[in-house]
Amino acid sequence: MMGTNSQSTTTETEGDVHAPVQCSNDTAVCIASVKGLKENWQKWSSEHQQYQKHNPFSHDARPSVVAPQTRQDDYGRPLQGSLTEQRGKDAHTHISREVQELCKVIRNIGELKDKDGDGSGSSGKVITVEFGKLFEHYVTISNKLVGILIRARKQRLVDFEGEMLWQGKDDHVVITLVNRNLD
């Protein structure tokens, strides 16, 4: 008894909608559906190969892949106008606000001292605060105090000894607000 077994397959139509096709003795329908699947697979494969030619992380070593030049001004920067560039600008703005807030907190809770620390007063005055005191006041504002301090030091707004500050261990490290307009 031939022709009693039937299989159900899925094909993609032009609108990418999966429509079931019944395969039975009518092999023309099955061949048409397999042919459609093969064409769709070939199309995807060709598109993927083209994409991989431009992917710098692909193992496809084609000369058409343009390697980034380290001496270019835009090396390591996102494409202009991209969402990545916008997110970077937004993050920079956010961090700048946090650094400004940190400097305000140091001004409010810090103590005015001689800049050179020897009491001669020859170098002017600076505002200083110990890390432990700053941590107690600042922890309710942000949980990223150490990272913001490092960023502020990189911008030459504050100064302190050591690379990293640890709560408890470095509570007595003096943080100096570097600002010439304190008087």
Side-chain angles (χ1 to χ4, degrees):
M1 291 195 122
M2 295 177 110
T4 56
N5 290 342
S6 66
Q7 299 174 344
S8 178
T9 61
T10 313
T11 61
E12 287 190 21
T13 60
E14 288 183 25
D16 289 335
V17 177
H18 298 284
V21 174
Q22 293 293 324
C23 290
S24 60
N25 282 344
D26 188 6
T27 56
V29 174
C30 287
I31 292 172
S33 65
V34 171
K35 185 176 180 181
L37 288 172
K38 180 182 174 187
E39 288 172 358
N40 286 337
W41 177 258
Q42 288 297 335
K43 179 183 171 190
W44 176 86
S45 177
S46 297
E47 289 171 356
H48 184 70
Q49 286 175 353
Q50 289 300 320
Y51 171 77
Q52 289 297 86
K53 286 180 184 178
H54 300 288
N55 182 356
F57 302 106
S58 169
H59 295 291
D60 190 6
R62 305 255 172 137
S64 65
V65 175
V66 178
Q69 300 296 318
T70 57
R71 299 191 196 317
Q72 292 178 343
D73 291 339
D74 60 346
Y75 179 75
R77 299 196 183 268
L79 295 174
Q80 287 187 340
S82 68
L83 289 174
T84 303
E85 180 189 37
Q86 185 59 45
R87 285 190 292 267
K89 288 178 180 179
D90 293 345
H92 179 74
T93 302
H94 177 74
I95 295 298
S96 295
R97 276 192 235 120
E98 291 225 12
V99 168
Q100 289 172 356
E101 180 69 21
L102 171 69
C103 291
K104 286 180 189 176
V105 170
I106 292 173
R107 273 191 201 98
N108 291 336
I109 67 171
E111 300 173 10
L112 195 60
K113 294 187 178 182
D114 290 331
K115 192 173 192 177
D116 56 6
D118 63 5
S120 66
S122 62
S123 300
K125 304 270 186 188
V126 292
I127 295 177
T128 62
V129 65
E130 288 187 347
F131 176 67
K133 183 177 179 181
L134 179 62
F135 188 87
E136 287 175 15
H137 283 81
Y138 200 81
V139 75
T140 58
I141 300 169
S142 174
N143 61 352
K144 303 173 277 297
L145 174 62
V146 175
I148 301 298
L149 275 170
I150 292 171
R151 181 66 176 235
R153 180 170 61 181
K154 185 177 179 181
Q155 295 175 6
R156 295 187 173 116
L157 298 173
V158 300
D159 192 29
F160 56 89
E161 292 291 323
E163 293 295 317
M164 180 74 72
L165 298 175
W166 301 96
Q167 182 187 14
K169 177 183 160 225
D170 295 320
D171 282 351
H172 297 290
V173 171
V174 175
I175 298 168
T176 305
L177 183 63
V178 179
N179 191 340
R180 300 186 194 332
N181 299 325
L182 296 175
D183 297 330

